Amino acid sequence: MSEPNTTVANPADTPPGGSSPARTNPLKGALGGSVGRSLGLVIALALLFVVGAVTSGDRFLNVENLLTILRLASVIGVISIGVTFVITAGGIDLSVGSVMGLATVVASLKSVQLAATESSWLIMVLVPLAVGAGVGLLNGVVIAYGNVVAFIATLATLVAARGLAELISGRSTQIVTNRDFLKVMRGEFLGVPVLVWIFIVAAATGWFLLNRTTFGRRTVAIGGNREASRLAGIKVKRHLVTLYVLSGLCAGIAAVMMLGRTTAGTSTHGLLYELDAIAAVVVGGTLLIGGRGTIMGTVLGVLIFSTLTNVFTQNNLDTSVQAIVKGSIIVVAVLLQQRFAAGRPSKRGG
């Protein structure tokens, strides 16, 4: 007869008064972790759908409107995925919106469109990707090897990239005329817009990269304790450069999507997108201080804000009220993050 499986409590773990420690409730533990956070976001999104259905009825629930929400979410969603990686590592990227605007301007230049017409429409995809990755590389080198604070470095890039875009375009809107490019980017696959498919692929790739690869584990480790990561053999500076290249690349992908959606390149594209991306990432559950990131949470955060915008639009409500509601959501999310951070052991020490 086998001996029953028992656990003997460590006397050192017994609290004052002699009582044994309470057993951990698995369900409570799960709900208090990533599952609980994601469930909370799903509930919040469901409540927004209920509000939209009650206030707008069929206008909100019809398939075309739901696809509109997804289209709105797709561009900022791809940017937010890149920002998630940077913030998880304890950094910040304020330049993504301006980088996206710059990439749309460069890709819509007459010379670039002429080259795309004479060879392949893929040139209009590769050019913004190169612009985004190039600016991200510049950010990463300045931050990692120049030891410039990420906030200051990317703020400078925000201003410079926007100014460069205005200079190149002459503050004018450049129309995309390449029909092959527009046909692909404005098309559908299985009834779903290509832009949404790009967002889905980017989210799935980001999730796999963060949760199932050494790259993702190193990103989380650097955000938790940069010095300890360096001592553990992680090439922290090189990894940080790669993260900012990834963030810039996501901004470049978003630029391609924006060109397809609006058929135009302009320096005003991406205005304040960096704030929307950071808001989605924070609401999604990624810690601003680094050490914890969630792609699924970011996707849900983006969908929450896109649905909120759609509900306000459907009901012709003041955009100022919408901004107040969005700001309140961000404040609550940050307060919850501070409460979580205060309850966990410090990982910054040596």
Side-chain angles (χ1 to χ4, degrees), residues 64-241:
E64 186 56 39
N65 185 60
L66 297 180
L67 290 176
T68 298
I69 293 175
L70 291 175
R71 287 192 193 96
L72 285 173
S74 60
V75 176
I76 191 65
V78 171
I79 291 179
S80 300
I81 289 168
V83 173
T84 300
F85 279 89
V86 172
I87 293 181
T88 300
I92 195 76
D93 192 348
L94 300 176
S95 68
V96 286
S98 295
V99 172
M100 189 193 82
L102 174 62
T104 65
V105 167
V106 175
S108 58
L109 289 173
K110 289 183 179 180
S111 57
V112 175
Q113 294 200 60
L114 179 61
T117 301
E118 293 179 347
S119 55
S120 171
W121 61 270
L122 288 173
I123 288 179
M124 293 193 64
V125 175
L126 296 176
V127 168
L129 295 187
V131 171
V135 177
L137 177 62
L138 177 63
N139 278 337
V141 170
V142 169
I143 292 167
Y145 293 97
N147 294 321
V148 178
V149 177
F151 182 90
I152 299 300
T154 56
L155 180 62
T157 305
L158 178 155
V159 177
R162 188 73 65 188
L164 182 58
E166 292 175 352
L167 188 64
I168 293 174
S169 65
R171 295 176 182 267
S172 62
T173 300
Q174 300 173 163
I175 304 301
V176 176
T177 57
N178 189 288
R179 294 183 179 179
D180 292 335
F181 173 79
L182 294 177
K183 182 179 179 180
V184 173
M185 298 307 299
R186 296 174 71 86
E188 295 183 351
F189 178 68
L190 300 178
V192 178
V194 169
L195 297 183
V196 177
W197 280 113
I198 294 174
F199 178 33
I200 292 172
V201 171
T205 303
W207 180 89
F208 180 81
L209 196 60
L210 186 61
N211 294 283
R212 292 292 183 267
T213 66
T214 302
F215 180 86
R217 289 192 290 272
R218 288 175 178 172
T219 301
V220 174
I222 291 172
N225 193 316
R226 188 170 298 184
E227 181 61 18
S229 298
R230 185 186 68 80
L231 294 174
I234 298 176
K235 298 184 184 300
V236 174
K237 291 185 177 182
R238 190 170 70 181
H239 193 89
L240 287 175
V241 172

Side-chain angles (χ1 to χ4, degrees), residues 50-63:
V50 170
V51 171
V54 170
T55 57
S56 303
D58 293 337
R59 286 188 298 117
F60 178 81
L61 292 177
N62 69 72
V63 175

